Structure formats: C-alpha cells, structure tokens
Amino acid sequence: MLDLSDASMAWIIGGFLVSAAVIAIAGTLLAARADVLADRIGWGEALVGAVLLGGSTSLPGILTSVVAAWEGYPSLAIANAVGGIAVQTAFLAVADLFYRRANLEHAAASAANLSQGALLVTLLAVPVAAAAGPDWTVLGIHPATLIILFGYAYGIRLVKLAKEEPMWFPRMTRDTQDLEKEAEESAQSEDGQRPLGRLWAEFGVLVAFVAAAGFGISQTGIAIAERTGIAETAVGGLLTAVATSLPELVTSVAAVRRGALTLAVGGIIGGNAFDTIFLAFADVAYRDGSLYHRMGAADTFVIAATIVMTGVLLMGLVRREKAGPGGIGFESATILVLYAVAATIMATS
C-alpha cells in the first residue's frame, strides 16, 4: 500500500477527488469502447460486461483485498470484497434511475444475465460454507479457493453457451433492448468502422487509467479512515468497498445513458461474480491459515444479504416489471432497502 503517513489531510482528500474525476472520465469512455467491442467480437453485451468490463473495473478492489491480506489485515480484505459486491448490486438500482423509459431489468432481459445471476448466488454461497466447515488448508490455501476459481471459469463457459445457444428467450416488447438491431447499427457507425486493434489498444489504456485511479482512491480512502479512527470492518465494507467500486457505478450509468442496457446489467452481475475471486486471491495471499475462518458475523451477514439482493434481482429479471416505485422496478427499490440495512450493520459492527 502507499505510505501516506506524512501527507497532509488536504493532499489526501485532493488525491481522492482527482482519482474520482479520472474514474468518471475514463470510466465513461471505457463503457463506450466495451459497447463497440461487444458487437465487433460477437460476444454480446452480457458476456463483455461480465468479463471485460466487470473484470477491468474490479482491478482496484482486487489489489486492495490482496494487499490487505498479505499485510495481515484479513478483516479488511474480507470486508472490502463482500462490501464491494453488495454496493455494486445497489449501484444497479442507481443505474435504473437513469433509464426513465422503463424498468432496466425489463429492458435488459437476456438468458446470459440470468445465468450470471445464478452463477453469482452459487459462488457467494461457497465462502459461507467454507467458514462454517473445517479449517483445512493445503500449503496455506483452503479448498474453497479452488472451488471458487474453477467454478467461476466453468460458470462463464455456461454464460457463453447461454448467449450462443439460448434455451430461453425473453418476450420482446417495445421497451426490450433489440441486441441484433443494435449490432447492425453499430457496425455501420463510425466506431464500427475503426480498426479492431485500435479499439483494443484504447480499451487497454482506459483500463490502466481506471485501475490506477481506483487504486489511488482505495489508498487515500484508507488514509482518511485511519486519520478519523474508523474500525477496520467499516473501512473495508464501506469506505474502500465503495471507493474501489466507483468504476462500476460510472461505467454502468454511462452504459445506460448510451442505451447499452444489457452491458450495464451484465457489467454489474458479471462483475460481482468476478469479485468473488477477491476472496480466493486474498486467501492465497493470507499466510496465517484459512481466510474464510477469519470472517466475522458482520461479513457473513453481508454475504447473506447480497445473496438475497441477487435473488430479488433475478426475480426482477424474470418478472420484468415495466415500472414500479419511484419509476424503477420493485427489485431495485427492494435492493436499495436491503443495502441500507447491510451498510448499517457494517457501520456498527
């Protein structure tokens, strides 16, 4: 981690704000490049959102959890991981506020996004089962770590098959996103005519900017927490988790504003599934036994709450309500309430 012990509070806050500004600009451009690449490489918005967009914006969170575990702060590593997944689920409800035509889950219905939601619930259950089971390790690594890694890889393969060979199709309405039509329009646009290599290069540069700014936010956030005396669990679950998740919020809102609705939903759900790898990597980095057995009651509660939030989201994707409370779906309103409860538990733990 960065040594900011000699930096003044003004410089730390300034670094936080500058990093946030970089994320806002680079994240918006990143969502645009991901939208074009989804059509150009034929993966579809849901899979690109999960793997490329979700994975790229998760880099700051991975760095924070791994470094915290390596330096002997297991509570911070765990809280950062599970808190990030919870807040990013809430961010999807926030993104819903920016799409006024219909409920976001109604418009972005796809078999791939449903598959990603099921994968996320499955992966979230693994650390809870590991924490309740025997404290076994091989070379300091708990078997649950391998289950998460291989489970994620196999789950992404199933998501890809759901996109390529779907056995379920959403009922098309005038508010449902037509991915095939958008792909044709994208191919005829100016971005669609640009060399694919150049698009990849731009995407990579933007990922580097977002990752660097996200890491800067996490480090300045930790420094602010240390100066104010906030507890380690609250720092990880709220401050660093929210700070390192800002790229997901920015890219999701940017995707919604440019009409890439499936990309926005896929980026959050798929990114959350990717974020379960935080715990796996942190377990490898943690050298004092099983990381999962360092989970506190608040961490377990937040994971359970996130499973409930994801379940509500899946019901929203299946029910596909056109409008609900406050112009958003019932699932978005419920998710915001559930996150408020989970955040309160983390703040008071």
Side-chain angles (χ1 to χ4, degrees):
M1 294 187 180
L2 296 177
D3 184 8
L4 300 175
S5 57
D6 295 331
S8 67
M9 193 64 168
W11 277 104
I12 292 173
I13 294 174
F16 187 94
L17 295 176
V18 169
S19 297
V22 171
I23 287 175
I25 297 171
T28 301
L29 296 173
L30 188 66
R33 297 302 181 276
D35 187 20
V36 177
L37 284 170
D39 299 325
R40 291 290 298 275
I41 64 179
W43 284 13
E45 289 187 4
L47 194 57
V48 166
V51 178
L52 293 183
L53 194 59
S56 299
T57 54
S58 295
L59 290 175
I62 291 178
L63 288 171
T64 301
S65 284
V66 169
V67 171
W70 177 260
E71 296 191 351
Y73 297 98
S75 295
L76 177 59
I78 294 168
N80 178 72
V82 300
I85 295 173
V87 72
Q88 285 158 203
T89 306
F91 282 168
L92 189 58
V94 175
D96 197 359
L97 295 170
F98 286 85
Y99 189 69
R100 307 313 301 160
R101 182 175 173 182
N103 177 21
L104 183 58
E105 282 71 36
H106 173 90
S110 74
N113 278 338
L114 285 172
S115 299
Q116 289 182 150
L119 172 62
L120 174 57
V121 170
T122 303
L123 293 177
L124 282 172
V126 174
V128 176
D135 189 356
W136 293 336
T137 60
V138 179
L139 299 177
I141 301 173
H142 194 279
T145 290
L146 299 179
I147 294 174
I148 291 174
L149 293 174
F150 285 105
Y152 176 78
Y154 182 68
I156 288 299
R157 179 177 179 273
L158 295 181
V159 172
K160 189 172 185 293
L161 289 175
K163 188 267 177 184
E164 295 175 346
E165 303 173 10
M167 300 297 290
W168 174 89
F169 297 91
R171 178 183 177 185
M172 299 299 293
T173 70
R174 65 179 183 178
D175 295 316
T176 305
Q177 185 180 16
D178 190 336
L179 296 176
E180 293 184 2
K181 180 180 178 180
E182 289 189 5
E184 293 176 359
E185 293 175 349
S186 177
Q188 298 172 2
S189 67
E190 182 179 346
D191 284 336
Q193 302 298 321
R194 298 170 68 184
L196 188 58
R198 182 177 176 183
L199 285 173
W200 277 116
E202 292 175 354
F203 186 86
V205 170
L206 291 169
V207 167
F209 272 105
V210 169
F215 184 68
I217 271 193
S218 70
Q219 297 307 287
T220 52
I222 291 173
I224 292 171
E226 290 176 344
R227 301 287 178 93
T228 55
I230 303 174
E232 187 176 317
T233 299
V235 171
L238 295 175
L239 193 56
T240 64
V242 173
T244 56
S245 297
L246 284 178
E248 281 85 350
L249 174 62
V250 171
T251 53
S252 295
V253 172
V256 167
R257 291 178 67 87
R258 65 180 279 116
L261 310 180
T262 305
L263 179 68
V265 176
I268 292 292
I269 304 177
N272 281 350
F274 185 89
D275 287 1
T276 59
I277 297 177
F278 288 16
L279 290 173
F281 288 166
D283 182 50
V284 174
Y286 186 62
R287 296 290 80 202
D288 294 330
S290 165
L291 182 78
Y292 307 103
H293 287 83
R294 302 298 182 272
M295 288 174 54
D299 299 319
T300 304
F301 174 82
V302 174
I303 292 178
T306 306
I307 291 175
V308 175
M309 291 164 68
T310 306
V312 171
L313 176 59
L314 282 170
M315 287 188 285
L317 286 168
V318 173
R319 174 64 183 87
R320 301 182 63 203
E321 184 181 41
K322 287 189 176 182
I328 58 178
F330 75 90
E331 69 284 352
S332 293
T334 305
I335 285 170
L336 289 175
V337 173
L338 289 171
Y339 178 72
V341 174
T344 301
I345 295 295
M346 284 188 284
T348 58
S349 62

